Amino acid sequence: MRKVLVTGSAGFIGFHLSKLLLAEGFQVIGYDAMTDYYDVRLKERRHQQLLQNQNFSCTIGMLEEFDKLKSLCDAEKPDVIVHLAAQAGVRYSLENPRAYIESNVVGTFNVMECARELGVDHLLMASTSSVYGANEDMPYSELHKVDAQMTIYAATKKANEAMAHSYAHLWDLPTTMFRFFTVYGPWGRPDMALFKFTKGIIEDTPIDIYNNGDMFRDFTYVEDLVKGIRLLVDAAPVRPETAADIPEGDSLSPVAPYRVVNIGNSDKVRLMDFVEAIETELGKPAIRNYMEMQAGDVPATWADATLLQTLTGYKPQTDVREGVKKFVAWYKDYYNV
Ligand SMILES: NC(=O)c1ccc[n+]([C@@H]2O[C@H](COP(=O)([O-])OP(=O)(O)OC[C@H]3O[C@@H](n4cnc5c(N)ncnc54)[C@H](O)[C@@H]3O)[C@@H](O)[C@H]2O)c1
């Protein structure tokens, strides 16, 4: 049975990915610190669900606790590592930048050290669409230059990409970096728009709509996203013999078994259409509090997901209305409202 170490297994995406891997017969070793960035009970409930499967086990620990992480790796010897644990969130990185350096830079380095010492078949790690920063050329392609990050969150993720490339090159460590685009769905994060909007509408409190609603996002349904991750597990990059061997449109490095892959819906949705989808689902209008653009935020994101499709044959497709409906049903059930 193949073993996968999933860091951030109690997190939103880590939970959904672990569930999918378990359903496919993988053994999943979870690692998560249950940080209090948002409601820890939600994380505990996710882990409790996973623990119902005997092929799931978990260790509570910080990425920064290298000895703990290393002992777990030495004991379990996973074949694959999917590294999702991080200090997430664009906005919070203006308030507490240090948390990002510690979790995302030091923490990710520790994961890379474990992967190198184990010689895993494939290391896959989460980056973000935020690394495209101020780029205006859309849809965002993995082949675009990304040098204009706008927040320390994005900067730490860009740093992770550079760190991972160097390890892939030096140690022949097959590495895939994902750039995720606004992931949403059941068990979602309380700091993200869908959760806040749903809560606000239900509780009759105003919802903050930034840039007066003139925003676009490529919303990616979480089950589509984890399916993409799952398929990429089997698509480990191979170092090309020469740069001429790299297929057109592939972000494969000329000097390392390393590539970056966007996982997005390839659909640019207006923020106000998203709000209306939630209002329709709840049968109630929002109290809208129009605001200016937030520092560090970008007006639009839009993924070119051709490479994902070329590598896996898969294209995320869930329509935002369908995804919102599933989230609202989960929210009402979970909070009993
Ligand atoms: N959700 C999105 O829209 C989105 C978009 C782009 C990128 N990402 C990236 O995807 C990954 C997963 O995001 P998510 O939405 O599931 O976030 P999440 O916050 O729900 O999950 C992250 C998990 O990591 C854990 N964690 C945080 N810091 C840690 C540390 N130092 N040591 C150990 N555990 C730690 C947290 O307890 C949490 O359970 C992150 O790397 C995030 O940056 C997410």
Side-chain angles (χ1 to χ4, degrees):
M1 186 187 283
R2 285 178 89 198
K3 266 193 201 181
V4 183
L5 171 70
V6 176
T7 73
S9 49
F12 170 41
I13 297 171
F15 161 69
H16 283 279
L17 176 69
S18 299
K19 223 164 67 163
L20 178 65
L21 292 173
L22 291 166
E24 290 202 11
F26 284 85
Q27 187 174 343
V28 177
I29 316 296
Y31 191 86
D32 198 301
M34 319 297 274
T35 63
D36 63 1
Y37 169 57
Y38 63 77
D39 188 1
V40 174
R41 278 167 307 173
L42 195 54
K43 299 183 182 186
E44 286 166 352
R45 289 275 298 272
R46 296 185 188 125
H47 257 181
Q48 275 163 18
Q49 274 212 21
L50 296 174
L51 283 164
Q52 286 170 14
N53 188 312
Q54 58 179 20
N55 289 326
F56 180 79
S57 59
C58 59
T59 298
I60 305 303
M62 295 292 282
L63 297 167
E64 296 90 318
E65 294 177 87
F66 180 65
D67 292 346
K68 191 183 255 188
L69 185 62
K70 174 83 169 53
S71 326
L72 177 68
C73 288
D74 289 344
E76 296 289 353
K77 300 198 172 22
D79 306 295
V80 170
I81 298 179
V82 184
H83 173 44
L84 300 171
Q87 177 57 58
V90 172
R91 285 159 198 160
Y92 183 62
S93 73
L94 278 69
E95 273 170 55
N96 187 5
R98 189 172 300 279
Y100 292 75
I101 300 296
E102 287 167 356
S103 292
N104 303 2
V105 179
V106 178
T108 298
F109 173 67
N110 287 342
V111 173
M112 284 166 38
E113 274 288 278
C114 291
R116 175 178 74 83
E117 288 190 26
L118 286 167
V120 291
D121 299 339
H122 195 179
L123 169 65
L124 304 100
M125 310 205 281
S127 183
T128 167
S129 60
S130 299
V131 299
Y132 289 105
N135 285 19
E136 287 182 352
D137 195 4
M138 295 211 194
Y140 291 147
S141 155
E142 299 90 342
L143 305 180
H144 292 167
K145 196 165 167 234
V146 284
D147 279 341
Q149 287 72 45
M150 313 257 276
T151 57
I152 203 78
Y153 168 63
T156 59
K157 291 291 184 174
K158 174 71 192 297
N160 288 167
E161 294 185 4
M163 289 155 64
H165 182 272
S166 72
Y167 260 42
H169 168 72
L170 288 171
W171 311 111
D172 221 12
L173 184 63
T175 305
T176 298
M177 297 295 304
F178 322 112
R179 290 186 186 149
F180 299 152
F181 286 71
T182 318
V183 189
Y184 74 101
W187 294 93
R189 273 171 33 202
D191 62 318
M192 291 185 71
L194 177 55
F195 196 110
K196 288 190 189 162
F197 291 171
T198 302
K199 187 170 191 292
I201 297 172
I202 290 175
E203 295 176 2
D204 293 317
T205 51
I207 62 167
D208 290 342
I209 296 176
Y210 292 101
N211 205 29
N212 296 308
D214 189 15
M215 303 259 266
F216 293 84
R217 284 291 178 271
D218 194 337
F219 291 100
T220 314
Y221 187 61
V222 67
E223 286 179 10
D224 291 353
L225 181 105
V226 298
K227 186 159 181 204
I229 297 179
R230 159 66 192 99
L231 293 168
L232 284 170
V233 166
D234 292 338
V238 177
R239 187 194 297 257
E241 301 237 325
T242 68
D245 295 330
I246 302 173
E248 202 184 320
D250 195 342
S251 63
L252 187 64
S253 163
V255 294
Y258 172 94
R259 69 159 68 85
V260 174
V261 185
N262 286 340
I263 309 187
N265 225 41
S266 303
D267 193 9
K268 217 168 68 155
V269 176
R270 264 182 71 231
L271 179 63
M272 295 322 295
D273 290 343
F274 189 64
V275 173
E276 278 164 26
I278 307 168
E279 290 174 328
T280 305
E281 220 31 67
L282 290 170
K284 204 174 161 193
I287 305 167
R288 301 168 184 205
N289 183 27
Y290 289 103
M291 314 263 289
E292 298 212 324
M293 184 80 152
Q294 290 208 119
D297 217 348
V298 296
T301 66
W302 179 18
D304 178 339
T306 316
L307 180 57
L308 172 69
Q309 197 171 1
T310 307
L311 295 170
T312 64
Y314 178 67
K315 184 179 180 315
Q317 258 164 351
T318 301
D319 179 80
V320 88
R321 281 175 294 270
E322 188 55 36
V324 163
K325 188 184 177 118
K326 289 185 178 159
F327 173 82
V328 169
W330 167 79
Y331 185 98
K332 285 179 164 171
D333 179 56
Y334 186 86
Y335 291 101
N336 209 6
V337 285

